[in-house]
Amino acid sequence: MEDRLNGVPGRDYDDKSVIFDRGDNFRCEKNDFFTVKIEDIGNNGEGIGKVNGYTLFVKDAVIGDRVRCKIMKAKKHYAYGKLEEILVPSPVRVEPLCKYHRQCGGCQIQAMDYQAQLDFKQRKVKNNLLRIGGFDEELLEQVMEPIVGMENPYHYRNKAQFPVGTDREGKLIAGFYAGRTHDIIPNTDCALGVEENKEILECILAHMEKYHIPAYDEKAGTGLVRHILIRKGFASGEIMVCLVINYGSKKGHKAGIGKGGNREFLASQEELLKTLGKIHGMTSVSVCINTERTNVIMGDEVHTIWGKEKICDTIHRRDVEDFSLMDEGIVFHISPLSFYQVNPVQTEKLYSLALEYAGLSGKETVWDLYCGIGTISLFLAGKAEHVYGVEIIPQAVQDARENAAWNGIDNAEFFVGKAEEVLPEKYEKEGKRADVIVVDPPRKGCDRECLETMLKMRPERIVYVSCDSATLARDVKYLRGEGYEVERVRAVDQFPHTVHVESIVLLSKLKSNKLKHINVELEMDELDLTAAESKATYEEIKDYILKQSGLTDRNLYIAQEKQKCG
């Protein structure tokens, strides 16, 4: 077949035909065409299909689609293809709410039915625990609970950062970067962001047009406005706007003094602030200075130019049976630089599960590692005797301490430093103990030294909150090999329409191996040898122990003995 775009001959391959031998003689080449059925989704949201064992990664394809794709990059055992045509749409394919979903790359799986997204994420967590974590599938079936989804999986993000630039005609635009590029896709109405984003962005862009305020040009390092950050407190309704500006650099903008002696960072700044101030919920407007030639969005210097320095939001506790809201909640004060979970609805569910898994009675000492601004720590403090939080970012620790004070919490203490350094010091030099340890590490998972110190402290329970189920599985495998067993696992869909998923795991310390033995006499004619050849389930083992001895046992102890004895 002739590739009309490039004028290069391209071969056609169909997964329904035995068309080639997967030996050394075959080599897929760029511009070849493949017809393939999509069976899975990759880590970056691309569809995965196979033709005679040869793996194809096809962006924008959905599980169940039968597609025709053009090879853009070929390797010996796999290739990357561009979706040319959907020959047979998947039963779970839907019309995306956002018309830019393919260009933007932020919502990799928005074209998939939401329930199918949840099923995919549940499988993703389970498969990582099986493949990387080395779990017994029967045990995993016992401890893994249904994924926690959203009733409305749109407009859930309380924070968005919009790059500002110009299009080919020189018109000012704001939106999101196209996947793996710095080309801005103009979009002021993201389906995942709050509805106020559109009004705020259009207001700022109109002001920039009116007063000829230039957008930042990252290639030249010139211009003023780089990004627009918008945050909203879902419980409070308070809105924050922060303009990231290239102010004061040699090639940037030099501002003067506005009316009333206020520092003026933008032309006719007071007029813009008056317009923004009319938007319902507007509470804070600030500028953040960033003159560096970098991909990092925020700078370190922030100036509030209207309203308050921070906005407030409340994370409420939820009933983990039906996730209905409860009266209890922690108020957080959020600055432009604060880390704060972007999906407050699912965060409440996730943290309520963490509290449930921790099993606190009010007498425990709890350590919260990688604690951020103390969101989990302060959630736990109301049910624990004392909570220690560890976080590497000094500003986050300062926020955590302030949030504790604002909520009248005096049994939470926070330390600045790496978890793998602070924890050994506090344990080995100061003798601080732990009944429960909660970890919520970055995607790379826990440092080995941190895990080793956790094991030395021998907490009764470890609650592991993870944003990457692969590193979760790796770390849990290590902990299981050192005297802990998994009791509960649950996935939480923190980021609908993306491939990302949060997970939470409860590990409990295994008891001593001083087991109570039961002597049972069996006659050969009592045995059903056919049935004996099959595996006993955990429920059958528990029932048997209960009938023979009156004792109860738990899945994790049974799993331990099955691993040792078969």
Side-chain angles (χ1 to χ4, degrees):
M1 165 172 283
E2 187 75 12
D3 177 4
R4 295 183 180 177
L5 290 177
N6 296 317
V8 179
R11 300 168 294 178
D12 247 328
Y13 295 104
D14 192 317
D15 61 352
K16 289 189 175 181
S17 306
V18 181
I19 51 171
F20 63 83
D21 178 14
R22 278 297 316 278
D24 293 336
N25 294 329
F26 174 78
R27 181 175 177 80
C28 172
E29 296 180 358
K30 183 178 179 179
N31 297 322
D32 284 347
F33 288 82
F34 278 81
T35 297
V36 63
K37 184 173 182 180
I38 303 301
E39 305 288 352
D40 203 353
I41 293 178
N43 289 332
N44 297 315
E46 66 274 34
I48 301 176
K50 290 181 181 270
V51 179
N52 287 40
Y54 190 79
T55 303
L56 300 176
F57 296 94
V58 185
K59 183 180 178 297
D60 301 317
V62 167
I63 294 176
D65 278 344
R66 184 169 175 77
V67 303
R68 185 167 181 268
C69 66
K70 176 184 173 183
I71 301 303
M72 307 304 292
K73 183 178 180 181
K75 299 290 185 179
K76 184 174 181 180
H77 299 296
Y78 63 92
Y80 294 95
K82 176 185 176 184
L83 180 63
E84 292 286 309
E85 182 181 3
I86 300 171
L87 302 174
V88 181
S90 167
V92 299
R93 175 174 280 279
V94 296
E95 186 63 32
L97 194 64
C98 176
K99 63 181 180 180
Y100 301 110
H101 79 283
R102 288 183 64 171
Q103 299 165 271
C104 172
C107 299
Q108 304 100 332
I109 55 175
Q110 195 180 133
M112 184 186 293
D113 172 75
Y114 185 57
Q115 183 58 52
Q117 292 183 31
L118 295 178
D119 295 341
F120 157 69
K121 293 181 181 184
Q122 180 84 344
R123 288 195 306 273
K124 179 179 180 178
V125 175
K126 179 179 178 181
N127 289 340
N128 279 333
L129 290 171
L130 289 171
R131 181 174 55 87
I132 302 171
F135 271 73
D136 177 84
E137 188 165 4
E138 191 176 352
L139 170 61
L140 199 54
E141 290 292 340
Q142 292 281 331
V143 301
M144 193 161 187
E145 301 167 0
I147 188 170
V148 181
M150 296 193 74
E151 292 182 9
N152 177 19
Y154 290 99
H155 302 296
Y156 62 80
R157 290 186 63 96
N158 60 14
K159 172 187 173 183
Q161 297 170 128
F162 298 87
V164 180
T166 55
D167 61 17
R168 292 179 180 178
E169 286 72 42
K171 181 182 178 183
L172 285 167
I173 56 172
F176 298 98
Y177 291 128
R180 300 185 179 183
T181 75
H182 269 213
D183 299 328
I184 300 175
I185 306 297
N187 181 9
T188 58
D189 192 19
C190 173
L192 304 189
V194 296
E195 295 177 352
E196 291 88 348
N197 286 347
K198 186 175 188 294
E199 183 179 3
I200 293 167
L201 291 172
E202 291 179 353
C203 170
I204 295 172
L205 290 175
H207 184 84
M208 291 175 66
E209 288 277 8
K210 181 177 179 180
Y211 292 101
H212 308 289
I213 299 172
Y216 179 69
D217 182 335
E218 64 180 8
K219 293 180 181 178
T222 59
L224 182 63
V225 181
R226 300 172 68 131
H227 280 79
I228 300 169
L229 164 70
I230 304 173
R231 308 185 88 146
K232 180 181 179 180
F234 274 35
S236 66
E238 295 181 353
I239 296 173
M240 167 184 287
V241 173
C242 179
L243 286 84
V244 183
I245 57 175
N246 182 40
Y247 166 82
S249 70
K250 291 181 180 179
K251 295 183 179 181
H253 180 74
K254 303 288 186 181
I257 304 298
K259 293 179 181 179
N262 293 325
R263 198 172 181 182
E264 188 171 71
F265 297 90
L266 305 162
S268 299
Q269 180 174 294
E270 291 300 319
E271 181 180 326
L272 174 63
L273 295 177
K274 184 177 180 180
T275 305
L276 288 173
K278 294 178 181 178
I279 296 173
H280 181 70
M282 189 61 63
T283 304
S284 171
V285 182
S286 60
V287 294
C288 177
I289 311 299
N290 184 358
T291 60
E292 300 296 322
R293 302 287 291 271
T294 174
N295 289 334
V296 177
I297 294 175
M298 304 297 288
D300 296 325
E301 183 182 342
V302 177
H303 299 271
T304 302
I305 56 177
W306 185 89
K308 301 178 181 178
E309 290 185 0
K310 299 182 179 183
I311 61 171
C312 294
D313 199 21
T314 304
I315 295 181
H316 292 91
R317 186 180 171 194
R318 288 179 179 257
D319 186 326
V320 294
E321 294 297 322
D322 60 4
F323 294 108
S324 57
L325 278 171
M326 302 174 71
D327 291 335
E328 299 175 52
I330 303 293
V331 177
F332 292 90
H333 289 66
I334 306 155
S335 73
L337 300 179
S338 294
F339 171 79
Y340 189 67
Q341 290 279 10
V342 300
N343 186 337
V345 174
Q346 294 300 89
T347 295
E348 291 177 337
K349 298 174 185 178
L350 180 66
Y351 289 178
S352 295
L353 285 170
L355 182 60
E356 167 83 2
Y357 283 16
L360 303 178
S361 66
K363 300 178 180 179
E364 293 84 3
T365 296
V366 182
W367 282 82
D368 178 15
L369 309 182
Y370 313 94
C371 71
I373 64 170
T375 43
I376 294 180
S377 306
L378 301 182
F379 232 59
L380 300 171
K383 303 293 181 181
E385 182 173 302
H386 202 88
V387 176
Y388 297 104
V390 182
E391 171 57 50
I392 192 172
I393 301 173
Q395 183 58 51
V397 171
Q398 182 61 32
D399 286 346
R401 291 168 178 162
E402 291 177 1
N403 285 322
W406 282 320
N407 286 277
I409 295 172
D410 57 8
N411 64 333
E413 190 174 351
F414 298 94
F415 305 106
V416 178
K418 294 181 180 179
E420 58 269 23
E421 295 175 358
V422 172
L423 195 61
E425 179 184 350
K426 297 298 179 182
Y427 170 65
E428 294 168 5
K429 296 182 180 180
E430 300 181 23
K432 293 190 183 297
R433 64 182 182 85
D435 299 305
V436 177
I437 293 179
V438 179
V439 293
D440 186 5
R443 292 192 184 280
K444 68 176 184 178
C446 291
D447 183 270
R448 177 55 66 95
E449 189 176 354
C450 178
L451 292 173
E452 289 172 351
T453 306
M454 288 165 56
L455 292 169
K456 289 178 184 177
M457 297 177 81
R458 302 299 291 168
E460 289 295 319
R461 291 174 295 284
I462 297 172
V463 180
Y464 195 130
V465 180
S466 171
C467 57
D468 188 321
S469 56
T471 54
L472 165 73
R474 179 201 67 200
D475 291 348
V476 167
K477 181 178 182 179
Y478 176 74
L479 294 170
R480 291 180 72 215
E482 299 294 333
Y484 284 82
E485 187 53 279
V486 171
E487 284 202 64
R488 300 177 71 177
V489 179
R490 197 154 198 185
V492 178
D493 188 21
Q494 194 84 348
F495 309 102
H497 307 296
T498 78
V499 293
H500 305 297
V501 59
E502 295 272 325
S503 309
I504 181 168
V505 172
L506 168 63
L507 298 105
S508 291
K509 183 172 67 176
L510 292 169
K511 304 301 180 184
S512 168
N513 285 329
K514 296 176 181 179
L515 302 175
K516 179 177 179 180
H517 293 85
I518 306 166
N519 294 320
V520 180
E521 293 184 6
L522 292 174
E523 298 294 335
M524 290 299 294
D525 58 2
E526 294 178 355
L527 293 176
D528 179 348
L529 295 181
T530 302
E533 291 173 355
S534 64
K535 288 185 177 180
T537 66
Y538 290 108
E539 294 303 322
E540 289 171 338
I541 294 171
K542 286 195 289 188
D543 289 344
Y544 178 80
I545 293 172
L546 182 62
K547 289 176 183 177
Q548 294 294 328
S549 65
L551 297 174
T552 58
D553 213 337
R554 290 157 66 185
N555 288 340
L556 65 92
Y557 303 139
I558 295 170
Q560 183 190 29
E561 293 310 310
K562 284 187 73 177
Q563 283 191 333
K564 290 181 179 179
C565 309

